[in-house]
Amino acid sequence: IACDGGDIGAMQSLASIYGNGRGVKKNAEEAKRLEVEISKRVLEQSEGMKWKRDGGIKWGFDERIRRLVIRGKDPFEDYAEGGKTCQVKNYGWSMNEWPEWRLKYEEQIESVVICYGVASVGSFSFYDCKNIKSLILPSTIRQICSEAFFACCSLESLVIPNGLKVIAGNAFQGCCSVRSIFFPESVLSFDSNPFVWWSSLKSIEVAQESLYLQVVDGVLFDKGMHKLISFGTCTKSVYEIPNTVTSIGYQAFHDCKRLTSVVIPDSITSI
């Protein structure tokens, strides 16, 4: 079965709609079916591609369409039907700690597909891969580790699957082409501002069912509005922090060039 990036992107969007119940009745079974189908199509299209083992995963790069694919090392059915998961391990900042795909293809990678069954993307996995334009993440993902997609400045669309719980510090820092973001109910919290150097960001949304996050006037808070996580897309030049807030997160007001004044209430105990 042949499919192009547009087909995959449309299926990912539809899976997200069913997974989050945005405009339709939530249907986790249909969302999973679509995600599994995406992986199957990508793997079929990648037939003949050379796969390399790295810990619990295999990866391959299709030079014809500049797409990197990451899958579990075992038969795909073990993940799609058997509930098995695997992880992309943590890498390091120095070149001798990079994953092999960065060493060989960093400048060539334009799209990344993480197949169904992968539960974690390790630190520095795609650090500074400036030409990545599209990214497919499955709902089996539970964690994106620090600096995993740091400075992926060509990434225009980022769909966070309902299932992802932890987005570590600086995981997507510098993704300056992303214009909108939706956080599903599964996302728990952030240890720092997730939008540092997101200069194109215009819209932040959080699932109504979320027990952990909320957005007010473009500002991202925890659900009880006790922690101000990010000034986000707020356009106010003068901002008065709500008196429910007791903590201001790390880099919460980073690069807020239009902001001229912040009123800090007595309720604040930590910055």
Side-chain angles (χ1 to χ4, degrees), residues 11-248:
M11 290 177 70
Q12 181 196 31
S13 297
L14 191 57
S16 177
I17 287 171
Y18 279 113
N20 291 296
R22 301 184 71 190
V24 298
K25 185 177 180 180
K26 186 180 292 188
N27 189 331
E29 184 177 335
E30 179 62 10
K32 176 184 175 179
R33 186 193 69 78
L34 287 164
E35 290 184 5
V36 169
E37 182 63 20
I38 288 171
S39 294
K40 284 182 176 179
R41 289 193 180 192
V42 169
L43 293 175
E44 288 173 5
Q45 189 180 26
S46 302
E47 186 176 352
M49 187 170 69
K50 185 177 180 181
W51 294 95
K52 295 194 175 183
R53 173 87 175 267
D54 189 348
I57 62 139
K58 289 181 179 179
W59 67 273
F61 183 66
D62 191 332
E63 297 189 45
R64 300 168 303 161
I65 55 177
R66 301 193 169 199
R67 182 166 67 197
L68 185 93
V69 182
I70 292 179
R71 56 171 295 180
K73 65 179 179 62
D74 297 316
F76 180 66
E77 291 74 19
D78 290 358
Y79 305 94
E81 300 170 11
K84 191 171 185 176
T85 61
C86 60
Q87 298 183 353
V88 180
K89 67 184 183 183
N90 290 321
Y91 301 96
W93 180 82
S94 61
M95 187 173 288
N96 63 352
E97 298 177 301
W98 289 10
E100 188 177 353
W101 59 78
R102 281 190 61 201
L103 290 169
K104 288 188 173 182
Y105 304 113
E106 182 178 75
E107 297 295 323
Q108 298 179 53
I109 301 171
E110 292 187 359
S111 66
V112 175
V113 176
I114 310 292
C115 288
Y116 194 89
V118 177
S120 177
V121 179
S123 299
F124 296 95
S125 293
F126 296 94
Y127 184 99
D128 206 29
C129 290
K130 298 183 186 301
N131 294 316
I132 294 176
K133 298 177 182 176
S134 67
L135 170 64
I136 302 289
L137 295 170
S139 61
T140 53
I141 287 280
R142 296 294 178 263
Q143 176 173 267
I144 305 291
C145 298
S146 61
E147 278 87 21
F149 295 95
F150 185 100
C152 291
C153 54
S154 295
L155 186 64
E156 297 178 351
S157 176
L158 178 57
V159 178
I160 303 295
N162 194 6
L164 178 61
K165 296 180 180 295
V166 177
I167 301 176
N170 303 329
F172 291 99
Q173 182 170 315
C175 292
C176 58
S177 296
V178 177
R179 296 181 60 84
S180 64
I181 190 76
F182 173 83
F183 292 114
E185 60 185 289
S186 60
V187 177
L188 299 177
S189 64
F190 300 94
D191 55 11
S192 64
N193 182 357
F195 309 122
V196 172
W197 294 325
W198 281 40
S199 54
S200 299
L201 188 64
K202 303 297 182 187
S203 172
I204 304 169
E205 293 182 81
V206 171
Q208 290 184 351
E209 300 88 350
S210 176
L211 300 176
Y212 311 104
L213 303 170
Q214 66 175 312
V215 177
V216 179
D217 295 330
V219 181
L220 181 64
F221 298 90
D222 69 343
K223 188 66 174 181
M225 291 184 69
H226 302 305
K227 180 178 181 179
L228 193 158
I229 299 168
S230 174
F231 195 60
T233 59
C234 187
T235 58
K236 295 179 180 180
S237 59
V238 177
Y239 183 69
E240 184 172 347
I241 297 174
N243 59 16
T244 58
V245 176
T246 59
S247 172
I248 298 174

